[in-house]
Amino acid sequence: QGFAMTGPLIAVLDYGIGNLHSAHKALVRLGADARLTDDPALIAGAAAVVLPGVGSFGACMTALRVRHLEEPVLDAARSGRPFLGICVGMQMLFSASEESPGVAGLGVVPGVVRWIPGSVKKPQMQWNMVDVGDRSDPLFVGLDRQPWFYFVHSLHGVPDDDGAVTATCEYGSTLNAAFRIGPVAAVQFHPEKSASWGLALLSNFVGDVARGRVGAAVS
């Protein structure tokens, strides 16, 4: 604070649950005019939207709905503006989660968030190497094919369309780690806690927003 932000206006959704500040602070550090907000007008007017999340799928979806933010989030995701879901925010973009049966997700990414299979320790709470399947994806441009990111999760997204997966990691089996449908990107790991790799990814996101990159609206 105390200085004018000259970067693009990015709305970081504040729906009153968990620690949402670290993603906001990382974006500010990269020069974005990032604002933690639950104001539908600001969300509608922002150049891009970030949906972070920690905790359980059901609690996050309930909190989003209590704040009357479901429609503003869906409008943003369908608008063609850059959109980024992080951790449980990524999971919320799916249709449903095995963690919270009966709780509907946002359905932006058709599919189900499923428990990490096998007998490996859950949650995965560690740095892990990510295998980037599509290095042309705007989030991963300029990063190595196998960068390292920090994970804290017990479930992973399984989209109906495998083509939505842009990166995976190995943890007992191959887990999906990043996704894209048009301008909507989502990552299971925490870029804001992933040192230089995470800042590079978020810098790519901010750069795309600043250049006005938009995609076809998600139906």
Side-chain angles (χ1 to χ4, degrees):
Q1 300 193 2
F3 57 93
M5 300 304 301
T6 58
L9 174 58
I10 299 177
V12 182
L13 276 294
D14 179 5
Y15 49 102
I17 190 167
N19 177 18
L20 308 179
H21 297 279
S22 54
H24 168 249
K25 290 178 180 177
L27 292 166
V28 170
R29 176 180 173 185
L30 292 167
D33 181 6
R35 304 186 195 180
L36 267 175
T37 184
D38 62 357
D39 180 357
L42 194 153
I43 296 165
V49 174
V50 174
L51 178 62
V54 294
S56 75
F57 179 91
C60 285
M61 287 304 310
T62 297
L64 193 75
R65 289 173 172 136
V66 166
R67 291 284 186 103
H68 304 290
L69 289 175
E70 182 172 16
E71 285 307 315
V73 169
L74 287 171
D75 288 345
R78 294 165 177 162
S79 69
R81 291 174 288 157
F83 189 108
L84 178 62
I86 297 174
C87 195
V88 178
M90 173 230 95
Q91 296 179 8
M92 294 163 73
L93 293 171
F94 279 72
S95 307
S97 173
E98 291 181 344
E99 182 180 29
S100 305
V103 177
L106 294 166
V108 175
V109 180
V112 177
V113 179
R114 302 194 181 279
W115 292 105
I116 294 173
S119 58
V120 292
K121 182 180 178 181
K122 292 185 271 289
Q124 175 183 202
M125 188 181 300
Q126 63 174 12
W127 287 82
N128 201 343
M129 186 172 65
V130 169
D131 188 0
V132 180
D134 181 5
R135 295 185 67 195
S136 68
D137 185 276
L139 282 184
F140 294 104
V141 168
L143 278 71
D144 290 350
R145 190 178 69 82
Q146 295 180 316
W148 288 77
F149 292 102
Y150 188 73
F151 289 80
V152 182
H153 68 123
S154 297
L155 303 95
H156 74 127
V158 182
D160 293 346
D161 178 6
D162 290 342
V165 178
T166 56
T168 60
C169 70
E170 296 299 321
Y171 187 67
S173 60
T174 300
L175 305 179
N176 297 323
F179 311 85
R180 178 175 293 279
I181 295 182
V184 177
V187 295
Q188 178 61 71
F189 49 81
H190 285 278
E192 75 281 8
K193 298 178 181 178
S194 297
S196 59
W197 292 120
L199 286 177
L201 183 146
L202 290 174
S203 180
N204 280 342
F205 180 74
V206 172
D208 278 343
V209 178
R211 287 187 293 271
R213 181 194 293 266
V214 295
V218 177
S219 60

